[in-house]
């Protein structure tokens, strides 16, 4: 019966496992972004808090895209449990450094899935992942530009306030 079920799925076993790992990663990222938003709220960085609330929602939407894709392809999408979410950060800058790290790891994970799909000639999943490649290019760009504000503006005096105020204007291209 198990072999018959696999025939009804358009996903190979390894690709399905990688996609489920990505579902968990996206859920984790969403939770971390919520923790970042909470930290920013507690520390008076209102614009950055709003930025991270939006990021948390984006990551949740990404998780749902992967989840629905696995289900649509006849696989078993696994609802993830998420733990180990950091609640405290050493500094305002560390929040943005952590955000960039999350995005770089996410890009690497998506590239890993694509590599496996190319090997298995799973062109349908490669096409699905193309949206995420573009999204990650934008996400990493914004995360890097936000972090660069710490160098451009500096944190001394009213610097952190100026950085916080500038965060909403950081975007990719003509968005």
């Amino acid at each position: 019966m198990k072999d018959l079920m696999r025939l009804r799925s358009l996903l190979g076993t390894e690709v399905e496992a990688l996609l489920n790992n990505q579902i968990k990663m996206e859920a984790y990222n969403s939770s971390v972004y919520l923790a970042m938003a909470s930290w920013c709220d507690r520390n008076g960085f209102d614009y950055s808090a709003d930025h991270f609330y939006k990021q948390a929602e984006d990551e949740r939407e990404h998780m749902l895209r992967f989840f629905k894709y696995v289900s649509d392809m006849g696989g078993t999408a696994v609802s993830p449990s998420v733990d180990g979410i950091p609640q405290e950060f050493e500094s305002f800058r560390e929040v943005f450094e952590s955000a960039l790290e999350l995005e770089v790891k996410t890009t690497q994970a998506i590239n890993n899935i694509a590599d496996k799909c190319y090997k298995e000639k799973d062109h349908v999943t490669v096409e699905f992942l193309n949206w995420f490649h573009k999204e990650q290019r934008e996400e990493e760009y914004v995360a890097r530009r936000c972090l660069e504000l710490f160098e451009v503006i500096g944190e001394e005096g009213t610097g952190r306030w100026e950085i916080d105020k500038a965060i909403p204007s950081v975007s990719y291209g003509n968005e």
Side-chain angles (χ1 to χ4, degrees), residues 67-82:
F67 196 92
K68 185 153 176 33
Y69 179 78
V70 171
S71 292
D72 287 350
M73 296 300 103
T76 302
V78 178
S79 183
S81 62
V82 179

Side-chain angles (χ1 to χ4, degrees), residues 30 32-38 40 47-58 92 95-96 99 146 167:
S30 180
V32 172
Y33 280 132
L34 279 177
M36 290 173 173
S38 176
C40 287
Y47 295 107
S48 296
D50 288 345
H51 170 77
F52 288 121
Y53 282 124
K54 288 175 189 160
Q55 287 299 112
E57 185 60 30
D58 284 350
F92 188 39
V95 173
F96 286 93
C146 286
I167 293 299

Side-chain angles (χ1 to χ4, degrees), residues 31 34-36 38-39 42 85-89:
S31 295
L34 279 177
M36 290 173 173
S38 176
W39 188 93
R42 287 192 315 273
I85 306 302
Q87 300 299 319
E88 295 299 326
F89 299 89

